[in-house]
Amino acid sequence: MTSTIPSSKNGNSLFCSIGSADTAISNDDLRHQIDTFLTSRGERRDVLILPPDFTRFHSQAGLITQYISEYYNFTPKEKNAGGDSTGDSTGDSIDSNEEEGRAVPTTCTPCSPAIQIIPALGTHAPMTPSQIEIMFGKELS
């Protein structure tokens, strides 16, 4: 699996372009993509995360929110956060610490920005404490 961070002349950018109708992205692959993207953005002073609510649980937004929080040292890394139900047994998963022979940090060592996480509820009912823990993990609940 490969991805690039292309730039465009009009200021819009596509940060990740992987997948197909039959592609499964493992949790390790997802973490690698997030870490690579955040590393490319550099240090931040403030981070605002606007994940959808529990009605979009299967979007993996909760897991993505966990990985971003862990990257910025807002929460400690959970062992096997979210489980890896999409991994394959062939060993083809991307090593989350290397990209084409270069080390990719799994946390932003020098930075601990102020982080706000605001689930976008829209017109839905507020999330229950149980839903918050299931979607975002124990560290963020």
Side-chain angles (χ1 to χ4, degrees):
M1 177 183 316
T2 61
S3 66
T4 59
I5 302 176
S7 61
S8 68
K9 294 178 183 173
N10 66 5
N12 294 327
S13 297
L14 175 64
F15 295 107
C16 184
S17 178
I18 57 175
S20 68
D22 59 348
T23 298
I25 300 173
S26 72
N27 290 348
D28 287 341
D29 294 338
L30 180 61
R31 183 185 294 275
H32 174 79
Q33 294 299 322
I34 291 167
D35 290 349
T36 300
F37 168 73
L38 295 175
T39 299
S40 77
R41 307 297 7 159
E43 289 186 34
R44 306 278 108 184
R45 289 193 320 211
D46 298 301
V47 174
L48 174 62
I49 305 171
L50 297 168
D53 71 348
F54 197 74
T55 63
R56 302 293 185 264
F57 174 77
H58 295 289
S59 71
Q60 298 298 323
L63 189 57
I64 291 168
T65 300
Q66 287 179 44
Y67 290 166
I68 294 170
S69 307
E70 292 168 1
Y71 177 86
Y72 286 118
N73 302 305
F74 189 66
T75 57
K77 284 193 177 183
E78 289 188 16
K79 281 190 169 185
N80 202 20
D84 197 347
S85 60
T86 59
D88 63 27
S89 60
T90 64
D92 290 339
S93 178
I94 293 174
D95 181 348
S96 62
N97 293 321
E98 291 185 17
E99 178 184 14
E100 297 176 12
R102 296 183 312 246
V104 175
T106 55
T107 61
C108 185
T109 305
C111 60
S112 292
I115 294 183
Q116 297 273 333
I117 302 170
I118 305 172
L121 295 176
T123 59
H124 297 104
M127 294 170 66
T128 66
S130 174
Q131 289 173 325
I132 292 170
E133 184 175 333
I134 290 168
M135 185 150 176
F136 300 110
K138 290 182 183 199
E139 290 294 331
L140 291 175
S141 64

